């Protein structure tokens, strides 16, 4: 044993024990993991919340000095960004100007024209201010070109000089342009962007105050114009600033201004996330969600898919949080932008392990205890999990040695994340999985309890027109539809979509998510703006708010501007008591009681102190970004604002009027002005209302479409249901019930042994050796080929007892162990009597039935009576229901068929039935006429398998030899062919034989030692014959020249199943539970998988997948190209192993007295059709899929023909 | 097991219009090409945004300040290239008969795309000490991407060839002054560009293969029918 093997075993054992532990103590382990997650996440509390909002730090003005670059450890209150000089010092001159007293002769434009005009003189003053020898020119921040993309702003923003912005920039700081401008508002608004915007606009930049507060509009109620002149200084000269302040104050005194002037605020901007940066981020998140979606979609076969998916996501997320938390705990502070690296971390850590675990656990045998299942599943996957983890750690280690700090940090996080993810997978997810599996088991248990067969259906339910009368005793069947899997066979695609929408409430969720995201974006990008908005709302709604109610306007003059004691910034001005002593404005105030219009009032409150806070927090970054100066990770210092109050006389306002100003509309009434100011609010409200109405309508429509009219009235659509758990989901609507009624073909007295079909005809052979030929379309019995010399009757249902010879074929049990024990044949009694042979215990097989009937020693009375009763209602069904289309001529008993041996293999092509007998005899029968056409007795050993392709028959014998026969037909001239109309699709290219043909069957080649041991499987397709034997090998022969092409070795057990189709895909399954896929052209093994514990009993392929069933009652679906197990279906114990594929996505399996239809794409059970009431114990052993979407399966002594009509509908 | 039940291999049935449309080879090819084109355009837009906002590439100024931050011809070019590569990969797989061994699932493809975006992210955002280090890291990452998600020799070869061709084309473009890189260190371009191209080729090839899987399935069905 190599080291690797040993390690592997040890790991596997460890995982097994761990799985046992987890499944045994789920609750303590979940508590433990939760506790550890919380502990690890605890350090995260100390981290600042992520966000891009600016950070402020306030220092005093007096003792201010430019901070040095070196960090000073002792000053702990200083943030670490407060180092070095700021990008700029911002000095704002806040100008409030009003025309007062206001009189009615003034037009609305006068409110702002002359106040705005005064900006030029103030500007002039500032520009020309000189302190000692310093001028503004020397101190201000010199800017160069605007960014090339901003040509249209070139006329407005300063270039090549001081960064000094004011509303005057609109007019190039020239008074003459201003005076010549006929429409100031148009000039101001022409630069405004259209539509929704969150960042700073040009108007905000130039005015320096939020757009609403400027007062530059025609409907201003306060008639006070506010704007700032913003100066960006590159270096701070306290004396210059102080002198400027003093000068401006002196020129334009603000009377009751008590603004604080002793604090400067340093604003640090984090890295910006603009819309441009957001898009890649959003993209990565979309990819991440797609990844999670596609991953979790693969979780199957569990009780709660969503629950497990959630657990998986929680596992990954909390492992990330844990990694960050642990890193913080050990002193590694994250410097990377968490939001950006997060998706990559998730991708690195991945959800794969979780899914692999789930699949592995789910595919363990369902009859095991939950504990053992978990443990087994874990240990099965332990090696791959460990391998993956080691690989990932290696990759990350390599990444760590790139010595790039960012990558190193990422790697560090990823390592810790991986380890914690592993921990969580092992403890948290495994435990959740065990709980889920246990729940599923309980649910299964509950579902099985009320399992009983239903009553006979009220309607006979033949789904296609039939000439024959429906059976008087309708075959009992019940249909179960899985409630959660809403995919009914009959549901068309569009309905499925609608149901899907309804089930997931997609529309509502999308709307909800959209709203949340929108709000999130709003808050994220513009927190300041939102704050402003909220603050404005609050101040407007407060009854003391000056702008709130028009009647209060008159009282306004009595209020002084602001409360001097209040130093709180950001709060609306609290004006608790009107102060009677207002000094400067008192004389200018009009008498409020009589004045029809109020005079504008200039007030200074604490809210003016830091007016820049009301601006968008992107205000400064965007201003500087125009000059290609980034503020990201840098800071600016905002100096205390210089207040300037301007009072203009009405005369001055009239003087500065532009001739066109008076053409403007007359001053609107208060009412309309109210309307105008609140127009945006109304717009928003209308929009919201509209959206709401549309939403309600939409939902209503959705409801009407999806819910039946009688929603809520119980019981109307449920009348036909028989089982309590029939489909009706939680929303009250149910899919249409599709009923699939099996057609029972009765006639055989014993269990059916062989079944063959070529699409049109169906041949069956029972243990006794009776061969019956049925019409595969209608289910009519066409021919009966009786055994042991019973004179063949032409389907009149009665034949004479010719040879009472009786028991044959019972002795071969020991020869071939796989065969079922065959019971001795019973001679039939009378045609119109019930066949009692199945009732008789085989122990009494030797006693003739007539004795049994008359015997008083055994009380058969009840049994017989029951059989009679059962038989009574359907005297015409059990034996040929209608006159057959062809009445074959009565043949003399010249057929020298071999009556002594039983039929072991049968094939049907054209209308020839080839039967292989235990005596080694090959017989060819005419299927329609029931006559023996030819027989071949070249071989001695029993024929175990037959293949009939074109005109060749291949027979595999018990001794391992393989015989190739050629069927030769010598056609007499002018023959008529009896065949039904050609079926849909292409029939196999088999020749049709007519009764006049002389058919001979000759042994062309016999391969004596094809295999060392008995041949178990024989399949032929695409010109190849494939045999599988108990000697562990598969051989491929060419049909034409019977030449052995390949001997395929790879199984470590006898071959039990082989699949080959026209595309030359060969799959084989063996007793060792492995499945091999071979390339028939080259003989190479394409893939090799361990599928089952125990024999592989059946193999079918579709174009995309391989379906296998095994003795472990598991059906596994494998991807054909990769050999990866897609999922597996756990069936009930002891169910049949027969499989069939009806279409690309419809799988049919035989079970205990039922057949089940599965959706291959999802692995959902679509329907279960119960074949009969009485025979729950009988399992379907053979299952044939016919061309017309019907399936035929044996069911004890009966054949069952099940049409799948919905498949036909779908395909048409 | 003596039964010779010829489990008829799949039902032979007519197909609906949708299936036949899918099965139609040219139609299928067109659909795939269109999807790949869209993927290419989208990735080009997003990744260019990453580069432009970091001032790695400079385009003529007029078109800036919008989502479509690159010149108009870049996304269509990338889209066309993506369509070509995405169709080329499955085609080559078929020609060489070298089946793609790794798991072919959408989740894997998504993972691949995420890693590709991550590589781009790193190239634009992570501050490396020098360009050689950056390029080497990205090269290692790209090869890692190939190893994790592709692992086929043909994929590697095609990736390298296309990366070289694309690099050459970029050199020519920059040489003719169509656009420029801020700090070229490999003739006219950045030295990590080939790695990005390689990773992109692998990613798009992965998507193309995954898309082709559908055609393959349907086609197999068709031949099966025939």
């Amino acid at each position: 044993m190599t080291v690797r093997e040993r390690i592997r075993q040890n790991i596997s054992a460890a995982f097994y024990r761990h799985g046992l532990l987890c499944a045994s103590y789920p609750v303590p382990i979940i508590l433990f993991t939760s506790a550890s997650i919380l502990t690890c996440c605890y350090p995260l509390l100390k981290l600042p919340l992520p966000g891009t909002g600016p950070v402020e730090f306030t220092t005093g003005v007096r003792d201010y000095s430019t901070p040095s670059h070196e960090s000073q450890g002792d000053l702990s209150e200083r943030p670490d960004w407060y180092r070095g000089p700021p990008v700029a010092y911002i000095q704002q001159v806040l100008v409030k100007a009003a025309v007062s007293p206001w009189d009615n002769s003034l037009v609305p434009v006068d409110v702002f024209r002359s106040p705005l005009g005064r900006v030029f003189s103030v500007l002039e003053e500032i520009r020309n201010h000189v302190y000692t020898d310093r001028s503004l020119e020397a101190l201000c921040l010199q800017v160069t070109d605007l960014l090339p993309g901003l040509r249209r702003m070139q006329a407005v923003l300063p270039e090549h000089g001081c960064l000094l912005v004011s509303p005057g920039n609109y007019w190039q700081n020239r008074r003459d342009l201003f005076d010549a401008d006929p429409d100031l508002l148009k000039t101001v608004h022409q630069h405004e962007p259209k539509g929704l915007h969150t960042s700073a606009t040009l108007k905000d930049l130039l005015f320096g105050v939020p757009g609403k507060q400027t007062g530059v509009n025609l409907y201003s109620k306060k008639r006070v114009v506010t704007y700032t002149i913003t100066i960006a200084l590159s270096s701070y000269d306290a004396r210059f600033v102080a002198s400027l302040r003093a000068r401006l104050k002196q020129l334009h005194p603000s009377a009751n201004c008590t603004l604080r002037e002793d604090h400067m605020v340093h604003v640090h901007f984090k890295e910006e996330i603009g819309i441009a940066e957001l898009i890649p981020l959003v993209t990565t998140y979309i990819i991440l969600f797609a990844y999670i979606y596609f991953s979790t979609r693969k979780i199957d076969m569990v009780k709660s898919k969503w629950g497990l998916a959630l657990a998986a996501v929680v596992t990954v997320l909390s492992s990330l949080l844990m990694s960050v938390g642990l890193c913080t705990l050990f002193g590694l502070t994250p410097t990377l932008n968490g939001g950006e690296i997060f998706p990559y971390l998730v991708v690195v850590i991945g959800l794969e392990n979780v899914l692999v675990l789930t699949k592995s656990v789910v595919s363990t045998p369902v009859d095991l205890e939950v504990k053992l299942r978990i443990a087994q599943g874990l240990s099965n996957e332990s090696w791959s999990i460990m391998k993956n983890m080691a690989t990932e750690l290696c990759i990350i280690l390599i990444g760590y040695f790139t010595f790039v700090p960012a990558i190193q940090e990422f790697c560090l996080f990823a390592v810790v994340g991986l380890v914690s993810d592993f921990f969580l997978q092992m403890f948290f997810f495994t435990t959740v999985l065990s709980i889920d599996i246990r729940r599923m088991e309980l649910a299964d248990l509950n579902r099985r309890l009320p399992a009983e067969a239903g009553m006979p259906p009220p309607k006979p339910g033949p789904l296609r027109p039939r000439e024959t009368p429906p059976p008087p005793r309708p075959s009992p069947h019940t249909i179960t539809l899985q409630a959660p899997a809403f995919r009914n066979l009959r549901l068309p695609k569009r309905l499925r979509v609608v149901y899907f929408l309804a089930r997931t409430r997609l529309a509502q969720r999308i709307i909800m998510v959209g709203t949340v995201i929108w709000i999130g974006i709003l808050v994220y990008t513009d927190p300041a703006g939102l704050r402003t908005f909220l603050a404005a709302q609050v101040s407007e709604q407060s009854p003391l708010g000056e702008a709130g109610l028009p009647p209060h306007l008159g009282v306004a003059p009595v209020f002084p501007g602001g409360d001097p004691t209040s130093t709180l910034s950001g709060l609306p001005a609290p004006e608790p008591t009107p102060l009677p002593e207002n000094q400067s404005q008192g004389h200018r105030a009009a008498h409020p009681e009589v004045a029809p219009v109020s005079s504008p009032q200039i007030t200074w409150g604490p809210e003016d102190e830091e007016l820049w806070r009301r601006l968008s927090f992107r205000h400064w970054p965007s201003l500087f970004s125009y000059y290609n100066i980034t503020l990201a990770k840098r800071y600016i210092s905002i100096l205390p604002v210089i207040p300037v109050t301007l009072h203009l006389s009405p005369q001055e306002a009239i003087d500065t009027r532009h001739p066109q100003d008076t053409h403007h509309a007359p001053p609107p009434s208060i009412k309309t002005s109210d309307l105008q100011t609140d127009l945006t609010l109304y717009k928003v409200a209308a929009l919201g209302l509209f959206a709401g109405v549309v939403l309600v309508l939409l939902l209503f429509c959705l409801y009407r479409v999806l819910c039946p009219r009688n929603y809520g009235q119980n019981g109307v659509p449920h009348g036909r249901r028989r089982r309590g758990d029939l489909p009706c989901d939680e929303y009250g609507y149910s899919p249409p019930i599709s009923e699939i009624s099996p057609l029972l073909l009765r006639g055989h007295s014993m269990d059916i042994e062989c079944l063959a079909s070529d699409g049109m005809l169906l041949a069956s052979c029972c243990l006794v050796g009776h061969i019956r030929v049925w019409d595969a379309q209608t289910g009519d019995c066409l021919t009966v080929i009786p055994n042991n010399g019973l004179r063949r009757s032409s389907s009149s249902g009665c034949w004479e007892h010719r040879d009472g010879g009786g028991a044959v074929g019972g002795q071969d049990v020991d020869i071939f162990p796989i065969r079922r024990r065959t019971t001795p044949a019973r001679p039939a009694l009378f045609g119109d009597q019930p066949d009692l042979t199945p009732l008789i215990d085989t122990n009494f097989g030797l006693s003739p039935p007539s004795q049994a009937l008359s015997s008083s020693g055994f009380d058969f009375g009840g049994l017989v009576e029951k059989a009679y009763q059962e038989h009574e209602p359907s005297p015409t069904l059990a034996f040929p229901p209608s006159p057959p289309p062809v009445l074959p001529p009565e043949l003399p008993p010249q057929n020298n068929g071999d009556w002594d041996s039983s039929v072991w293999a049968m094939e049907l092509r054209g209308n020839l039935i080839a039967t292989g007998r235990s005596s080694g005899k090959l017989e060819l029968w005419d299927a329609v006429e029931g006559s023996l056409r030819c027989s071949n007795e070249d071989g001695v050993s029993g024929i175990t398998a037959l293949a009939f392709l074109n005109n060749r028959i291949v027979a595999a014998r018990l001794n391992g030899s393989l015989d190739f026969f050629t069927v030769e037909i010598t056609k007499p001239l002018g023959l008529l062919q009896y065949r039904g109309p050609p079926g849909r699709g292409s029939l196999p290219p088999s020749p049709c034989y007519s009764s006049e043909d002389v058919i001979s069957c000759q042994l062309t080649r016999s391969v004596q030692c094809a295999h060392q041991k008995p041949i178990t499987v024989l399949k032929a397709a695409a010109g190849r014959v494939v045999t599988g034997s108990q000697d562990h090998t598969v051989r491929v022969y060419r049909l034409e020249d019977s030449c052995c092409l390949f001997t395929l070795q790879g199984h470590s057990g006898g071959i039990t199943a082989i699949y080959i189709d026209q595309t030359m895909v060969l799959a084989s399954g063996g007793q060792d539970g492995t499945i091999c896929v071979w390339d028939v052209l080259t003989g190479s093994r394409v893939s090799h998988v361990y599928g089952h514990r125990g024999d592989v009993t059946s193999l079918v392929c579709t174009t995309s997948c391989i379906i296998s069933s095994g003795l472990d009652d598991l059906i596994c679906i494998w991807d054909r190209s990769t050999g990866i197990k897609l999922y597996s279906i756990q069936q009930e114990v002891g169910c049949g192993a027969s499989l069939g594929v009806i279409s690309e996505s419809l799988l049919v399996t035989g079970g205990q007295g039922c057949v089940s239809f599965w959706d291959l794409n999802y692995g959902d059970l679509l329907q279960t059709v119960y074949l009969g009431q009485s025979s729950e114990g009988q399992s379907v052993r053979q299952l044939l899929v016919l061309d017309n979407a019907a399936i035929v399966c044996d069911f004890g002594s009966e054949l069952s023909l099940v049409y799948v009509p919905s498949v036909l509908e779908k395909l048409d | 097991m003596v039964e010779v039940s010829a489990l008829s291999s799949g039902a032979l049935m007519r197909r609906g219009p949708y299936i036949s449309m899918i099965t139609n080879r040219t139609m299928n090819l067109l659909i795939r090409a269109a999807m790949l084109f869209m993927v290419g355009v989208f990735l080009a837009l997003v990744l260019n945004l990453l580069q432009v906002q970091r001032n790695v590439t400079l385009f003529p100024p007029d078109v800036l300040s919008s989502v479509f931050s690159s010149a108009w011809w870049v996304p269509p070019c990338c889209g066309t290239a993506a369509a070509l590569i995405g169709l080329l990969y499955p085609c080559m797989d078929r020609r060489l008969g070298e089946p793609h061994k790794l798991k072919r699932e959408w989740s894997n493809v998504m993972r691949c795309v995420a890693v590709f975006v991550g590589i781009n992210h790193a190239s634009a955002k992570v501050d490396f000490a020098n360009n050689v280090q950056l390029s080497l890291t990205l090269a290692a990452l790209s090869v890692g991407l190939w190893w994790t998600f592709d692992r086929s020799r043909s994929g590697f070869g095609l990736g390298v060839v296309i990366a070289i061709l694309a690099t050459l084309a970029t050199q020519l473009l920059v040489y003719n002054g169509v656009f420029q890189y801020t700090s070229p260190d490999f003739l006219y371009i950045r030295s990590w560009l080939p790695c990005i191209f390689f990773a992109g080729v692998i990613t798009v090839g992965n998507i193309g293969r995954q898309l082709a899987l559908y055609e393959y399935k349907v086609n197999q069905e068709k031949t099966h029918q025939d």
Side-chain angles (χ1 to χ4, degrees), chain A residues 4 75 182 198 211 248 324 434 503 535 590 614 720 807 870 949 1059 1126 1149 1155 1181 1208:
Chain A
R4 189 166 174 259
L75 294 166
T198 54
L248 286 176
V324 178
S434 77
R503 197 171 61 238
R614 301 272 190 99
R720 284 160 72 205
E870 276 182 12
L949 206 65
Y1059 174 87
L1126 298 176
T1149 61
V1155 283
R1181 287 182 301 118
L1208 290 174

Side-chain angles (χ1 to χ4, degrees), chain A residues 344-366:
Chain A
Y344 304 121
L345 271 176
V346 171
V347 165
V348 163
I349 290 174
L351 291 168
E352 258 69 23
N353 274 350
V354 167
L355 304 174
V356 162
L357 268 185
T358 314
K359 269 189 198 166
S360 164
V361 168
V362 162
S363 56
T364 49
V366 78

Side-chain angles (χ1 to χ4, degrees), chain A residues 402 944 946 1103 1142 1183 1185 1211, chain B residues 2 4 7-8 11 13 133 220:
Chain A
T402 52
T944 57
L946 269 181
T1103 52
I1142 296 180
L1183 204 147
V1185 178
L1211 293 170
Chain B
V2 200
V4 194
L7 274 179
S8 61
M13 288 152 187
Q133 202 183 21
Q220 231 181 12

Side-chain angles (χ1 to χ4, degrees), chain A residues 1139-1209:
Chain A
L1139 284 179
V1141 174
I1142 296 180
S1143 74
E1144 195 54 31
S1145 60
L1146 193 59
L1147 173 74
V1148 56
T1149 61
Q1152 291 274 4
C1154 62
V1155 283
S1156 305
F1157 295 90
W1158 304 82
D1159 186 343
L1160 263 184
N1161 297 329
Y1162 303 96
D1164 286 337
L1165 178 65
L1166 294 172
Q1167 266 193 334
T1168 299
V1169 175
Y1170 285 90
L1171 300 176
Q1173 194 172 24
S1174 54
S1175 334
E1176 285 287 41
Q1178 274 180 325
S1179 68
V1180 172
R1181 287 182 301 118
Q1182 295 185 46
L1183 204 147
L1184 274 186
V1185 178
L1186 304 182
D1187 284 345
N1188 49 358
I1191 54 164
V1192 177
C1193 48
D1194 70 331
F1195 182 56
S1197 64
E1198 293 165 348
L1199 278 178
S1200 188
L1201 193 61
V1202 182
Y1203 284 98
V1204 194
S1206 44
V1207 176
L1208 290 174
E1209 278 168 26

Side-chain angles (χ1 to χ4, degrees), chain A residues 568-602:
Chain A
L568 290 171
S569 64
L571 285 173
E575 291 165 302
T577 48
L579 298 178
E581 62 277 358
N582 62 38
Q583 304 138 6
S584 57
Q585 289 108 336
H587 63 283
R588 262 189 240 116
H591 301 287
E593 297 82 17
V594 287
V597 282
S598 63
S599 263
Q601 195 67 35
I602 296 176

Side-chain angles (χ1 to χ4, degrees), chain A residues 55 60 88 96 102 139 180 215 282 388 397 439 499 577 612 632 741 765 840-841 873 928 955 1044 1115-1116 1142 1175 1199:
Chain A
V55 185
K96 289 194 174 189
W102 186 260
L139 289 172
V282 167
N388 279 337
L397 207 66
R439 275 180 62 204
Y499 281 140
T577 48
W612 52 270
S741 56
C765 174
I840 298 163
D841 193 327
V928 178
C1044 177
I1115 293 175
C1116 296
I1142 296 180
S1175 334
L1199 278 178

Side-chain angles (χ1 to χ4, degrees), chain B residues 60-80:
Chain B
D62 276 336
V63 282
L64 208 83
S65 79
S66 69
V67 176
F68 303 94
S69 50
S70 56
W72 63 268
W73 48 265
V74 171
C77 278
C78 292
T80 318

Side-chain angles (χ1 to χ4, degrees), chain A residues 662-712:
Chain A
T662 44
H663 300 317
H664 280 286
S669 65
I670 294 289
K671 197 181 165 194
T672 50
S673 84
D674 262 352
L675 265 179
Q676 287 294 336
T677 44
D678 287 329
L679 201 61
T680 43
L681 195 68
Y682 290 132
K683 273 184 199 162
V684 168
L687 210 67
L689 200 68
F690 177 70
V693 167
V694 167
L695 194 71
V696 166
L697 280 179
L698 193 83
L699 290 182
F700 182 72
C701 291
L702 212 66
Y703 174 83
R704 289 306 291 234
V705 167
L706 296 179
C707 290
R709 294 286 151 85
N710 47 12
Y711 174 65

